[in-house]
Amino acid sequence: MRAKLRLMGFRAAAVKPLNEEAAAELGAELLGEAIVFGVGGLCVYLEYARQVAQGRRRDEQQAAALHDLQLRLQHLQERLDAMAGQ
């Protein structure tokens, strides 16, 4: 109960004890909310990690394509130089 009051912004020095049923209900509610929050946070983290990995793969593919084009351009330049030399 003190934790719930602190989360709501209240400062209570003394809190009367809850009966067992109310305490169990409050504990179950807090546990449920913590689980939902944890699963939501995990989903956000996994989506972020997936997006980062996807961006990294895209960058690697673009770098490989650029390298391939540079090699082809170099090969064509060498052929052009050889033809100009004849």
Side-chain angles (χ1 to χ4, degrees), residues 43-57:
C43 289
V44 168
Y45 172 75
L46 291 175
E47 181 63 22
Y48 172 76
R50 188 182 71 85
Q51 291 293 330
V52 168
Q54 186 178 19
R56 190 178 305 124
R57 274 194 306 273

Side-chain angles (χ1 to χ4, degrees), residues 31-70:
L31 182 62
E33 288 178 8
I35 289 172
V36 168
F37 182 75
V39 169
L42 180 64
C43 289
V44 168
Y45 172 75
L46 291 175
E47 181 63 22
Y48 172 76
R50 188 182 71 85
Q51 291 293 330
V52 168
Q54 186 178 19
R56 190 178 305 124
R57 274 194 306 273
R58 188 178 326 115
D59 291 345
E60 289 172 357
Q61 288 173 348
Q62 287 177 348
L66 180 61
H67 185 266
D68 183 50
L69 287 173
Q70 287 173 337

